[in-house]
Amino acid sequence: MVNAPTRYAEALLTGMLGTFGLDAEYVRAEKNSLFYRDDTGAEVQVLDLLGGWGSLMLGHNHPQIVAHAKELLDNGTPVHSQHSAHPVADQVGAVLNGILARELPGAEPYSVIFANSGAEAVEAAVKHCEFDRALRIKALVEEIEWHASAALAAVAGGTAQLPDDTSLLPGDVPVPTNAEEFGALLGAVAAHNMARAGTGPVFFALERAFHGKLVGSTQFTYNPLFRAAFASLGPAVRFVPPNDAEAFEKAASEQRVTVLDVQVVDGRVTLVERDFPVVAGLIVEPIQGEGGIYGLTADYAARLREICDEFACPIVVDEIQTGMGRTGKFFASAHIGLVGDYFLLGKSLGGGIGKTSAMLVRQSRYRPEFELVHSSTFAKDGFTTSLALRTLELLEAEDGAAYDRAAERGERILGMLRELAEEYSDVVADVRGRGLLIGLEFADQSHSSSPLIRERALAGLLVFQLGSYLHLAHRIRTGPTASVPNMLRIEPSIHISDEEIEQLRTGLVQVCEILRNQDALPLVHPLTGTGELPREIRDFRPGAAAEAAPAERKAALVSPVLTPDTLRELEPSLADLDDDRLIAYVRRSELLKDLPAFAPVRFDSPQGTSVDLSVYPLLVTGQQLREYQVTGNTFLIGADLDRRVRAAKADGCETVGLGFGLGAVCGHGSALRVPGVQLTTGGALAVGSALVAAHTVGVEKYGEVYGLTVAVVGAGGRIGSALAAMISAEVPRVILVGSGREGSADRLRATELRIYQEAWEQIAAGGDLLGIPKLLAAEPLVAGWLAEGRSGDEPSGEAIAAHLAEAYDENPFVTVTDDLSAVQNAQAVFTAHSSPVPVLGEKYLAEGAIICDLSFFGSGAESAVASSRSDVHYVRGGVLSVVNQGILPRGVSASLGAGELLAGVAEVVTLALSGSSGSTGDGPITGEQVHAIVELAAQHGFETIST
């Protein structure tokens, strides 16, 4: 099963990578290069600047590491020999201690505990810190108990005087006058201490920190995206700002807890306070890699050491990413003179092949018993420790030439990036780093004039989009940092060449040009399925525009990008892509459908109110919407709609419309639960305006409409059902046409029964009747009901349907079918289907027929039939006129002229102008709703167009 990894192994992440074209399957690696095969099977070389997230200090598959690994395996070296001597592990520890002594003079020896990954090394350090704290508490308690026992014996033996000051004791404890009362005082001391003995540990970490994603280590990772959901599972961690020693000192002081001790001093019993160990440890990174490549200062490190010594707080120095020479010294701590109680190593410790890490603990703090309560099956195995030793030997060779090269190569890259930042100061916000741990931070693009760039920035995915371009257009592999979404991380091996640095410079210059000129095409073009590079970068920066005062109210329309033209209008830089390429890009963006809202369009009402309408596009085509419906996977679009509606609400929109088929994939709004927002799918005004338009044309053509046969294509849908029910009150015969898909027959049957039920309600109400209600009133069954005084709201549709089926071989009033040829029997046809393509051909229409096209509320799905049949009168259903209207995007104004608006959009604006509340999208569209919205729209200047 070749596809199994894609399907089952981190499918969401793989899908996200696929969105950006980053889901390459690499088949070979060496130094700073990865290789994948293209469609022809040829190898494609990619410059890898991710470096295994910092694990490839020596590059991919270093030949000496590989040769050593082969030798170990060929010689049958034991991998698993737990509970035996591990001299190689001791040798690793010896080398590491030698390096510590060299880089941090005066540092005492450190014991080593091995683990499998950096996060596990963090977990081991946290466990050891708490283990040490527990043993210190135990020693303190035992010492206090011994002091109390000695004091009691001294008082009883007359060698010590009773205490004359009990002010440290809580509550009313009298000064003891004899040994018995002194015993009671000791009881109060014990109770006081017992109340504090359960105080849990508090750890400290720095803001922006990243220390892993396991249950314990994630508590020390500052970004709430990784931590918040698991906060209840781990130790209490307080975050303090980096390089602010006073803030840490104040925070640590706030955690101070004391207990009481009873001591004999100069022949008198005395009460003293003792600090109870609460602060279990502080964990820091010398340079915060995932936090944005921020370094600690030497002054801060020195003061930190002083404060932690005062509080007996161990310092855990996380060198998992910064260590192994990446910054120009083996320990990045050596640059600032930070001597930790713990040092953590990982990533490159395995030479790019072995998965290993290490926790080093200062021996004066080390608890040997820890080895009995902490273990790992794979840690300290013979294979990985041997690889670690060989890696250390390579790094230390030639007096640490690898460290010098890391510093030199890093400075060369940093120099190039600083030149870039100076040339593109409007695009590059900062360049930070030391050695081969480098970050390039781009300026905020959340207000970019390019909708695509802006949305990627708002979603925190800008670096993914830029990385996609670098990978596909320049064969450079980069990555983000975990907490700075605008930062490009650069972590190559020491083998990076001048040519590769120039390759990076070339790619980054293009990235800067793209961002400076707001040209999204180069970012999109490689994702459209073509191997060609796009045209030269062009300038799409807008000119300055005057800002209008905001309207009284704001409304939104969530709309799919139905056509490639809509996408071109949204993102003008994509105009050079043909339809196939644009659709290919839309389909690739399955997991990233959001795009920024269009600029708002102002609508002014004759009533004196105004509304700013913003269109919130979804990167999805009409064909994709249809696929969601056909496959039953409408839940896939539901989450996107919910997110868009919430975004509109956050922008101040109280009325939100769901346009162009979106209602059909979310229960017409019923599946969305966004409090404080009025949702509408625009169906009521679409139905009302279509009926008005068809009636006007029918009268013009036939003099009256009451004798016509009317067909409704899509009669099982929400709009089609309402149209059929309302038109049946005027015409003698209705043909209900469905799609023939699963469930269609049931939906058509429901529409038929609705026609009968509403007809009976009109009959029972009395008054003048037309159409099907007038004919049904003459049926014996219905006439009998009238004579009996049957209630109009009593369920009657089923009974009428049964009566007609028994009385007639063919129903003379309502025809239910999925055969389009039945439309030939109708003089007027409403199309209310949701298909993005036409379903009616010229052969299906009667001579001189009127076709009122409501497909997607007047977007013209059936307009082609008008050009092929000159006798057919084509009416755009659901189109209204409006004055004082701005220009809407073509996607929501297709085929419309100046001063025209689709009913679905007009309903959103009408409701917003009226300040009405509640949801109009859920449930069937009723005649009362239709009449009310038509009247309300007219009050605000919207009138039906009947052409």
Side-chain angles (χ1 to χ4, degrees), residues 225-240:
L225 175 67
F226 306 129
R227 173 174 46 87
F230 314 105
S232 63
L233 299 180
V237 179
R238 287 195 58 181
F239 292 93
V240 292

Side-chain angles (χ1 to χ4, degrees), residues 24 94 131 225 245 301 357 389 403 433 441 455 534 546 553 586 593 615 690 759 798 830 861 873 886 897:
F131 190 65
L225 175 67
S357 60
L389 182 60
Y403 312 137
E441 184 175 358
E455 183 57 35
R553 300 185 180 118
V586 171
K593 299 186 183 73
V615 176
E798 289 274 6
F830 289 95
H873 193 126

Side-chain angles (χ1 to χ4, degrees), residues 451 535 538 540 567-576:
R535 46 119 176 103
R538 296 203 301 237
F540 285 88
L567 187 53
R568 293 186 186 98
E569 182 180 8
L570 178 69
E571 183 63 83
S573 67
L574 304 185
D576 291 351

Side-chain angles (χ1 to χ4, degrees), residues 863-870:
S863 58
V865 74
S867 60
S868 64
R869 288 277 300 272
S870 59

Side-chain angles (χ1 to χ4, degrees), residues 870-945:
S870 59
D871 62 305
V872 170
H873 193 126
Y874 179 82
V875 180
R876 297 172 302 155
V879 180
L880 297 98
S881 65
V882 58
V883 295
N884 300 324
Q885 174 209 330
I887 300 175
L888 283 170
R890 284 199 300 268
V892 293
S893 58
S895 306
L896 298 188
E900 296 180 342
L901 202 64
L902 296 181
V905 182
E907 182 166 318
V908 179
V909 177
T910 296
L911 293 171
L913 287 169
S914 305
S916 54
S917 60
S919 176
T920 64
D922 198 3
I925 299 172
T926 66
E928 290 79 2
Q929 288 176 329
V930 170
H931 295 307
I933 194 67
V934 168
E935 181 179 349
L936 197 59
Q939 292 175 14
H940 291 290
F942 295 101
E943 298 292 342
T944 295
I945 296 174

Side-chain angles (χ1 to χ4, degrees), residues 419-428 440 442-443 445 448-450 453 462 466 469-470 474 504-523 534-541 573:
E419 290 176 1
L420 202 68
E422 185 175 351
E423 183 178 356
Y424 293 95
S425 58
D426 55 329
V427 171
V428 178
L440 175 66
F442 292 102
Q445 298 292 324
S448 168
S449 60
S450 161
I453 294 173
L462 176 65
L466 300 180
Y469 168 74
L470 286 171
H474 295 276
L504 173 62
R505 189 196 71 81
T506 299
L508 290 177
V509 165
Q510 294 299 97
V511 165
C512 290
E513 286 288 332
I514 289 168
L515 294 180
R516 169 175 283 179
N517 291 286
Q518 301 291 285
D519 187 357
L521 178 61
L523 304 179
R535 46 119 176 103
E536 291 185 358
I537 296 168
R538 296 203 301 237
D539 193 344
F540 285 88
R541 287 172 287 183
S573 67

